[in-house]
């Protein structure tokens, strides 16, 4: 009888621990998503604070050195956030659907010839696996027409 009671207690303990691990995993995923959301919002707010970033990304005129510097560091901040999310995904701390939704921001960030050229200048400062993933996903991806469409909105 005591052996049966011991087995039952072990099973109950294992169930309890499994529930705790599941809750911990859900909390970790939630925190990772919150950090990603906050970072994304910060990148969007930069366009509110510095609306010339869009023109620097897409305009036909060559931006000033200061504008290129500002754009370059915006790209670095956005790509660093994507690198962090990719690392979280690779470590299992960010689920696949969340990663894909954040990853797709890269198509916007590197959507113009200018931003791709600036990425080439700074990509050496990023995780080599991340850079390889970005290069593979951007292969044969056309430049975005977002900025032309935005310009044409009346």
């Amino acid at each position: 009888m005591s052996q049966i009671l011991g087995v039952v207690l072990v099973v109950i303990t294992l169930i309890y621990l499994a529930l705790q691990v599941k809750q911990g995993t859900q909390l970790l995923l939630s925190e990772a998503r919150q950090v990603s959301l906050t970072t994304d919002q910060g990148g969007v707010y930069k366009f509110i604070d510095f609306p010339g970033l869009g023109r620097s990304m897409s305009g036909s005129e060559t931006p000033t050195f200061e504008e290129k510097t500002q754009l370059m560091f915006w790209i670095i901040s956005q790509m660093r956030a994507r690198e962090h999310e990719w690392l979280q995904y690779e470590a299992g701390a960010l689920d696949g659907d969340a990663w894909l939704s954040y990853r797709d921001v890269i198509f916007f960030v590197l959507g113009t010839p200018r931003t791709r050229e600036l990425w080439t200048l700074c990509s050496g400062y990023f995780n080599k696996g991340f850079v390889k993933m970005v290069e593979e996903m951007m292969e044969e991806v056309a430049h975005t027409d977002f900025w032309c469409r935005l310009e044409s909105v009346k």
Side-chain angles (χ1 to χ4, degrees):
M1 181 67 169
S2 65
Q3 289 179 339
I4 293 173
L5 182 61
V7 169
V8 168
L9 288 175
V10 167
V11 169
I12 290 172
T13 301
L14 288 175
I15 291 170
Y16 173 78
L17 290 174
L19 290 173
Q20 292 297 309
V21 167
K22 183 177 179 181
Q23 286 177 341
T25 300
Q26 289 172 339
L27 180 61
L28 180 63
L29 291 172
S30 176
E31 288 173 357
R33 285 189 298 268
Q34 181 62 45
V35 167
S36 296
L37 175 63
T38 301
T39 301
D40 273 355
Q41 287 176 331
V44 170
Y45 290 139
K46 289 297 179 199
F47 276 91
I48 294 169
D49 294 338
F50 304 100
L53 278 172
R55 182 97 38 222
S56 294
M57 286 178 81
S58 63
S60 58
E61 293 181 20
T62 302
T64 66
F65 182 80
E66 289 78 13
E67 291 168 333
K68 286 187 275 190
T69 301
Q70 185 180 52
L71 179 58
M72 169 95 123
F73 282 95
W74 178 82
I75 292 167
I76 289 171
S77 74
Q78 289 302 297
M79 295 302 284
R80 186 65 72 197
R82 303 297 80 80
E83 176 189 47
H84 172 75
E85 291 155 358
W86 176 76
L87 290 168
Q88 292 295 309
Y89 168 70
E90 290 289 306
L94 190 65
D95 65 72
D97 289 339
W99 159 240
L100 289 177
S101 71
Y102 290 118
R103 181 203 71 168
D104 286 351
V105 173
I106 295 170
F107 293 117
F108 175 77
V109 173
L110 302 181
T112 68
R114 184 169 292 131
T115 57
R116 289 186 192 182
E117 187 174 346
L118 290 172
W119 168 244
T120 300
L121 286 175
C122 67
S123 63
Y125 300 110
F126 289 79
N127 177 288
K128 290 182 187 337
F130 173 73
V131 172
K132 181 177 186 247
M133 183 275 307
V134 170
E135 289 170 357
E136 289 172 358
M137 73 177 270
M138 295 304 293
E139 277 180 9
E140 301 182 34
V141 172
H143 296 115
T144 183
D145 65 345
F146 173 83
W147 299 105
C148 292
R149 290 179 24 229
L150 179 62
E151 187 82 44
S152 70
V153 172
K154 297 187 192 275

